[in-house]
Amino acid sequence: MFARVQTVRQPAEKLDELSRIAEQQLPDAHRLPGFKGFYYLVDRQHAKALVISLWDAEENLRQLEAHAAVRKQVEDQAGVKSPPTEIFEVAVTAV
């Protein structure tokens, strides 16, 4: 499994707007090949959030990375630039 991670630094009201956008887009995400999960973690005190999506294979994650239209839509809706993306292999998981 692979994780796509972005660190967002924005005022609290922008973090809330990004949360609303993520909730709107999640139904579509479930239809993407290889999508396994999503987390949006917010630290209001430090005006920071982590956006984490999980994918069954690196190829499926890379397909998402190549799809710039989704990123542009979020940027337009929230009025923020998309932060850099980091990709990690999930070595250990527990639920």
Side-chain angles (χ1 to χ4, degrees), residues 43-61:
D43 178 349
R44 292 179 195 289
Q45 182 178 0
H46 295 101
K48 179 179 170 182
L50 292 177
V51 181
I52 303 169
S53 59
L54 300 172
W55 302 85
D56 68 350
E58 187 174 9
E59 301 82 43
N60 290 324
L61 190 157

mmCIF file of all heavy atoms in Angstrom, residues 43-61:
data_model
loop_
_atom_site.group_PDB
_atom_site.id
_atom_site.type_symbol
_atom_site.label_atom_id
_atom_site.label_comp_id
_atom_site.label_asym_id
_atom_site.label_seq_id
_atom_site.Cartn_x
_atom_site.Cartn_y
_atom_site.Cartn_z
ATOM 1 N N ASP A 43 -4.398 20.617 12.719
ATOM 2 C CA ASP A 43 -3.809 21.187 13.931
ATOM 3 C C ASP A 43 -4.111 22.686 13.880
ATOM 4 O O ASP A 43 -3.364 23.467 13.293
ATOM 5 C CB ASP A 43 -2.301 20.930 13.959
ATOM 6 C CG ASP A 43 -1.609 21.538 15.172
ATOM 7 O OD1 ASP A 43 -2.240 22.345 15.902
ATOM 8 O OD2 ASP A 43 -0.426 21.228 15.374
ATOM 9 N N ARG A 44 -5.242 23.087 14.461
ATOM 10 C CA ARG A 44 -5.689 24.477 14.390
ATOM 11 C C ARG A 44 -4.714 25.425 15.110
ATOM 12 O O ARG A 44 -4.507 26.548 14.681
ATOM 13 C CB ARG A 44 -7.080 24.617 14.973
ATOM 14 C CG ARG A 44 -8.123 23.931 14.144
ATOM 15 C CD ARG A 44 -9.509 24.059 14.754
ATOM 16 N NE ARG A 44 -10.405 23.101 14.137
ATOM 17 C CZ ARG A 44 -10.847 23.185 12.901
ATOM 18 N NH1 ARG A 44 -10.484 24.170 12.132
ATOM 19 N NH2 ARG A 44 -11.669 22.268 12.413
ATOM 20 N N GLN A 45 -4.131 24.963 16.190
ATOM 21 C CA GLN A 45 -3.223 25.796 16.961
ATOM 22 C C GLN A 45 -2.029 26.258 16.120
ATOM 23 O O GLN A 45 -1.539 27.372 16.280
ATOM 24 C CB GLN A 45 -2.740 25.042 18.192
ATOM 25 C CG GLN A 45 -1.829 25.865 19.088
ATOM 26 C CD GLN A 45 -1.410 25.082 20.332
ATOM 27 O OE1 GLN A 45 -1.799 23.942 20.530
ATOM 28 N NE2 GLN A 45 -0.612 25.718 21.166
ATOM 29 N N HIS A 46 -1.572 25.400 15.224
ATOM 30 C CA HIS A 46 -0.415 25.730 14.399
ATOM 31 C C HIS A 46 -0.789 26.002 12.943
ATOM 32 O O HIS A 46 0.096 26.072 12.083
ATOM 33 C CB HIS A 46 0.622 24.604 14.480
ATOM 34 C CG HIS A 46 1.180 24.454 15.855
ATOM 35 N ND1 HIS A 46 0.761 23.479 16.732
ATOM 36 C CD2 HIS A 46 2.088 25.199 16.530
ATOM 37 C CE1 HIS A 46 1.411 23.606 17.865
ATOM 38 N NE2 HIS A 46 2.212 24.646 17.774
ATOM 39 N N ALA A 47 -2.098 26.130 12.647
ATOM 40 C CA ALA A 47 -2.592 26.441 11.293
ATOM 41 C C ALA A 47 -2.000 25.486 10.255
ATOM 42 O O ALA A 47 -1.441 25.887 9.248
ATOM 43 C CB ALA A 47 -2.298 27.893 10.941
ATOM 44 N N LYS A 48 -2.168 24.201 10.547
ATOM 45 C CA LYS A 48 -1.526 23.177 9.725
ATOM 46 C C LYS A 48 -2.457 21.976 9.579
ATOM 47 O O LYS A 48 -3.214 21.650 10.490
ATOM 48 C CB LYS A 48 -0.226 22.763 10.412
ATOM 49 C CG LYS A 48 0.571 21.696 9.744
ATOM 50 C CD LYS A 48 1.833 21.447 10.566
ATOM 51 C CE LYS A 48 2.568 20.240 10.106
ATOM 52 N NZ LYS A 48 3.762 19.982 10.925
ATOM 53 N N ALA A 49 -2.394 21.325 8.421
ATOM 54 C CA ALA A 49 -3.158 20.097 8.206
ATOM 55 C C ALA A 49 -2.318 19.111 7.410
ATOM 56 O O ALA A 49 -1.422 19.496 6.654
ATOM 57 C CB ALA A 49 -4.452 20.393 7.461
ATOM 58 N N LEU A 50 -2.616 17.829 7.591
ATOM 59 C CA LEU A 50 -2.030 16.772 6.780
ATOM 60 C C LEU A 50 -3.153 16.138 5.966
ATOM 61 O O LEU A 50 -4.209 15.805 6.519
ATOM 62 C CB LEU A 50 -1.374 15.697 7.647
ATOM 63 C CG LEU A 50 -0.125 16.100 8.410
ATOM 64 C CD1 LEU A 50 0.352 14.940 9.274
ATOM 65 C CD2 LEU A 50 0.973 16.526 7.451
ATOM 66 N N VAL A 51 -2.926 15.998 4.687
ATOM 67 C CA VAL A 51 -3.878 15.341 3.792
ATOM 68 C C VAL A 51 -3.224 14.027 3.377
ATOM 69 O O VAL A 51 -2.157 14.028 2.757
ATOM 70 C CB VAL A 51 -4.172 16.206 2.555
ATOM 71 C CG1 VAL A 51 -5.178 15.522 1.658
ATOM 72 C CG2 VAL A 51 -4.652 17.588 2.972
ATOM 73 N N ILE A 52 -3.863 12.916 3.737
ATOM 74 C CA ILE A 52 -3.288 11.602 3.474
ATOM 75 C C ILE A 52 -4.310 10.756 2.728
ATOM 76 O O ILE A 52 -5.431 10.566 3.206
ATOM 77 C CB ILE A 52 -2.905 10.889 4.787
ATOM 78 C CG1 ILE A 52 -1.939 11.754 5.597
ATOM 79 C CG2 ILE A 52 -2.309 9.507 4.501
ATOM 80 C CD1 ILE A 52 -1.712 11.267 7.017
ATOM 81 N N SER A 53 -3.923 10.266 1.564
ATOM 82 C CA SER A 53 -4.770 9.301 0.863
ATOM 83 C C SER A 53 -3.988 8.009 0.710
ATOM 84 O O SER A 53 -2.761 8.018 0.569
ATOM 85 C CB SER A 53 -5.236 9.833 -0.497
ATOM 86 O OG SER A 53 -4.140 10.138 -1.326
ATOM 87 N N LEU A 54 -4.703 6.894 0.765
ATOM 88 C CA LEU A 54 -4.091 5.568 0.711
ATOM 89 C C LEU A 54 -4.484 4.865 -0.581
ATOM 90 O O LEU A 54 -5.645 4.949 -1.020
ATOM 91 C CB LEU A 54 -4.536 4.739 1.917
ATOM 92 C CG LEU A 54 -4.176 5.335 3.281
ATOM 93 C CD1 LEU A 54 -4.831 4.538 4.399
ATOM 94 C CD2 LEU A 54 -2.667 5.394 3.464
ATOM 95 N N TRP A 55 -3.506 4.147 -1.164
ATOM 96 C CA TRP A 55 -3.687 3.512 -2.469
ATOM 97 C C TRP A 55 -3.127 2.107 -2.442
ATOM 98 O O TRP A 55 -2.116 1.852 -1.788
ATOM 99 C CB TRP A 55 -2.986 4.349 -3.543
ATOM 100 C CG TRP A 55 -3.543 5.734 -3.544
ATOM 101 C CD1 TRP A 55 -3.159 6.781 -2.758
ATOM 102 C CD2 TRP A 55 -4.650 6.184 -4.295
ATOM 103 N NE1 TRP A 55 -3.958 7.873 -3.000
ATOM 104 C CE2 TRP A 55 -4.888 7.535 -3.945
ATOM 105 C CE3 TRP A 55 -5.469 5.601 -5.258
ATOM 106 C CZ2 TRP A 55 -5.904 8.292 -4.502
ATOM 107 C CZ3 TRP A 55 -6.475 6.350 -5.819
ATOM 108 C CH2 TRP A 55 -6.685 7.681 -5.450
ATOM 109 N N ASP A 56 -3.763 1.197 -3.161
ATOM 110 C CA ASP A 56 -3.327 -0.198 -3.148
ATOM 111 C C ASP A 56 -2.008 -0.424 -3.878
ATOM 112 O O ASP A 56 -1.274 -1.345 -3.551
ATOM 113 C CB ASP A 56 -4.410 -1.116 -3.719
ATOM 114 C CG ASP A 56 -4.653 -0.918 -5.207
ATOM 115 O OD1 ASP A 56 -4.133 0.053 -5.799
ATOM 116 O OD2 ASP A 56 -5.382 -1.734 -5.796
ATOM 117 N N ALA A 57 -1.690 0.422 -4.859
ATOM 118 C CA ALA A 57 -0.468 0.256 -5.635
ATOM 119 C C ALA A 57 0.073 1.620 -6.049
ATOM 120 O O ALA A 57 -0.697 2.565 -6.257
ATOM 121 C CB ALA A 57 -0.739 -0.590 -6.877
ATOM 122 N N GLU A 58 1.362 1.696 -6.186
ATOM 123 C CA GLU A 58 1.989 2.960 -6.558
ATOM 124 C C GLU A 58 1.501 3.449 -7.928
ATOM 125 O O GLU A 58 1.325 4.643 -8.134
ATOM 126 C CB GLU A 58 3.505 2.803 -6.563
ATOM 127 C CG GLU A 58 4.229 4.111 -6.784
ATOM 128 C CD GLU A 58 5.734 3.986 -6.654
ATOM 129 O OE1 GLU A 58 6.255 2.859 -6.566
ATOM 130 O OE2 GLU A 58 6.392 5.045 -6.631
ATOM 131 N N GLU A 59 1.231 2.528 -8.846
ATOM 132 C CA GLU A 59 0.767 2.914 -10.179
ATOM 133 C C GLU A 59 -0.550 3.689 -10.110
ATOM 134 O O GLU A 59 -0.748 4.668 -10.835
ATOM 135 C CB GLU A 59 0.577 1.690 -11.082
ATOM 136 C CG GLU A 59 1.811 0.855 -11.296
ATOM 137 C CD GLU A 59 2.067 -0.110 -10.143
ATOM 138 O OE1 GLU A 59 1.131 -0.759 -9.633
ATOM 139 O OE2 GLU A 59 3.240 -0.205 -9.732
ATOM 140 N N ASN A 60 -1.459 3.243 -9.250
ATOM 141 C CA ASN A 60 -2.745 3.932 -9.109
ATOM 142 C C ASN A 60 -2.564 5.321 -8.507
ATOM 143 O O ASN A 60 -3.212 6.276 -8.927
ATOM 144 C CB ASN A 60 -3.711 3.098 -8.268
ATOM 145 C CG ASN A 60 -4.158 1.865 -8.997
ATOM 146 O OD1 ASN A 60 -4.352 1.879 -10.204
ATOM 147 N ND2 ASN A 60 -4.309 0.776 -8.279
ATOM 148 N N LEU A 61 -1.678 5.437 -7.558
ATOM 149 C CA LEU A 61 -1.391 6.732 -6.958
ATOM 150 C C LEU A 61 -0.771 7.668 -8.001
ATOM 151 O O LEU A 61 -1.133 8.838 -8.094
ATOM 152 C CB LEU A 61 -0.443 6.539 -5.778
ATOM 153 C CG LEU A 61 -0.206 7.742 -4.882
ATOM 154 C CD1 LEU A 61 0.249 7.277 -3.521
ATOM 155 C CD2 LEU A 61 0.766 8.699 -5.461
#
